[in-house]
Amino acid sequence: MTSIVQPDGVAGEWQDRVAAVRRELTEHGPPRIPDGGPDFATVTLPERDCDQVRDLLVEERVGTVVEIGLAYAGSALAISEALLRNGSRNPRHVVIDPFQYTAYDGIGWELLRSAGLDDIAELVTEPSQRFLPRLADAGFAADAAFVDGSHHFHNVFVDLHFLGDIVRPGGIVVLDDVWWPSVGAAVTYFETNLGWRPIPDARVDGTADPASGRRRIGAYRLPDPRPTPDFKEFRPFC
């Protein structure tokens, strides 16, 4: 990954360009849907939730974000918008999606590029469960992560385990679809045993399941310092 320094005087124009691409995607959908590809409305984070993620990352003043799952780039555009608003001199957005070209025909990455975000974003097209360990071993540090990849419990658990090493102490991890039992159970382990704390206000206006009232988005603050509990202190979590 290369470091990109934001040129002085263009941040506002860059934000406007990203906002315009986001608006076009929200109002008209992606430029195309691959034959047999995933349904846009089903897999894309709703605009209100994207805004909430963006606003949380702005409030946290993040400069580096790891995102798992690109799809049609709805959340990625919102995250990049936050990075630009924060005015970091070296914003970085690592996006991991092994299905970007096989299932989505590269559309999400095309949209990021059309917004000029390939200067700050890097697309990784291998499973997060393989890439995150290498990122952690390299000493890569992020301020936040957004997780919307595999919804299998074991994959979410592995993602969160390594993000616990990658995201700095006191940083945040945001997950989509915590209303799914597999996703919710995985993050509950980290709440119960490793001290991850929910950020309730971060999702108050987000999408909720009409039947259960459970929110779609979950946001968690990592402990500072990182805990090292004894295995004898394990607490059942589901």
Side-chain angles (χ1 to χ4, degrees), residues 119 129 164 212 218 224:
D119 280 344
Q129 296 81 33
S212 67
D224 185 7

Side-chain angles (χ1 to χ4, degrees), residues 20-58:
V21 174
R22 275 196 68 198
R23 193 160 51 247
E24 178 70 17
L25 180 64
T26 300
E27 294 176 358
H28 304 290
R32 64 187 183 281
I33 299 290
D35 291 340
D39 176 64
F40 171 70
T42 301
V43 302
T44 298
L45 191 67
E47 183 183 19
R48 62 192 288 192
D49 297 284
C50 285
D51 287 346
Q52 213 163 14
V53 171
R54 177 201 62 199
D55 293 345
L56 175 61
L57 298 182
V58 169

Side-chain angles (χ1 to χ4, degrees), residues 26-222:
T26 300
E27 294 176 358
H28 304 290
R32 64 187 183 281
I33 299 290
D35 291 340
D39 176 64
F40 171 70
T42 301
V43 302
T44 298
L45 191 67
E47 183 183 19
R48 62 192 288 192
D49 297 284
C50 285
D51 287 346
Q52 213 163 14
V53 171
R54 177 201 62 199
D55 293 345
L56 175 61
L57 298 182
V58 169
E59 183 179 333
E60 293 288 322
R61 304 294 300 172
V62 303
T64 302
V65 177
V66 175
E67 179 174 13
I68 300 175
L70 175 57
Y72 296 110
S75 58
L77 288 164
I79 290 168
S80 293
E81 187 178 346
L83 288 170
L84 296 177
R85 285 193 184 190
N86 287 340
S88 171
R89 295 290 295 173
N90 186 24
R92 302 180 78 174
H93 187 183
V94 180
V95 186
I96 306 169
D97 188 345
F99 304 108
Q100 178 57 204
Y101 290 104
T102 57
Y104 295 96
D105 196 30
I107 294 168
W109 185 241
E110 283 180 22
L111 289 170
L112 290 184
R113 293 188 65 187
S114 72
L117 292 168
D118 49 333
D119 280 344
I120 68 172
E122 176 185 350
L123 175 62
V124 177
T125 56
E126 67 176 289
S128 53
Q129 296 81 33
R130 298 177 187 172
F131 180 72
L132 289 176
R134 297 206 306 276
L135 206 60
D137 284 345
F140 186 87
D143 300 306
F146 181 76
V147 182
D148 187 17
S150 170
H151 286 23
H152 291 288
F153 169 84
H154 53 282
N155 287 333
V156 181
F157 186 92
V158 171
D159 285 344
L160 297 181
H161 168 70
F162 285 106
L163 288 173
D165 290 335
I166 291 167
V167 175
R168 60 172 175 78
I172 61 172
V173 174
V174 184
L175 294 94
D176 186 21
D177 291 329
V178 292
W179 53 18
W180 283 94
S182 56
V183 178
V187 75
T188 298
Y189 166 81
F190 293 87
E191 283 187 74
T192 305
N193 287 280
L194 292 179
W196 290 27
R197 293 184 290 109
I199 308 174
D201 293 344
R203 57 181 191 166
V204 67
D205 295 323
T207 304
D209 180 7
S212 67
R214 294 191 64 187
R215 297 291 175 181
R216 174 173 181 154
I217 292 289
Y220 302 85
R221 188 172 304 283
L222 275 58

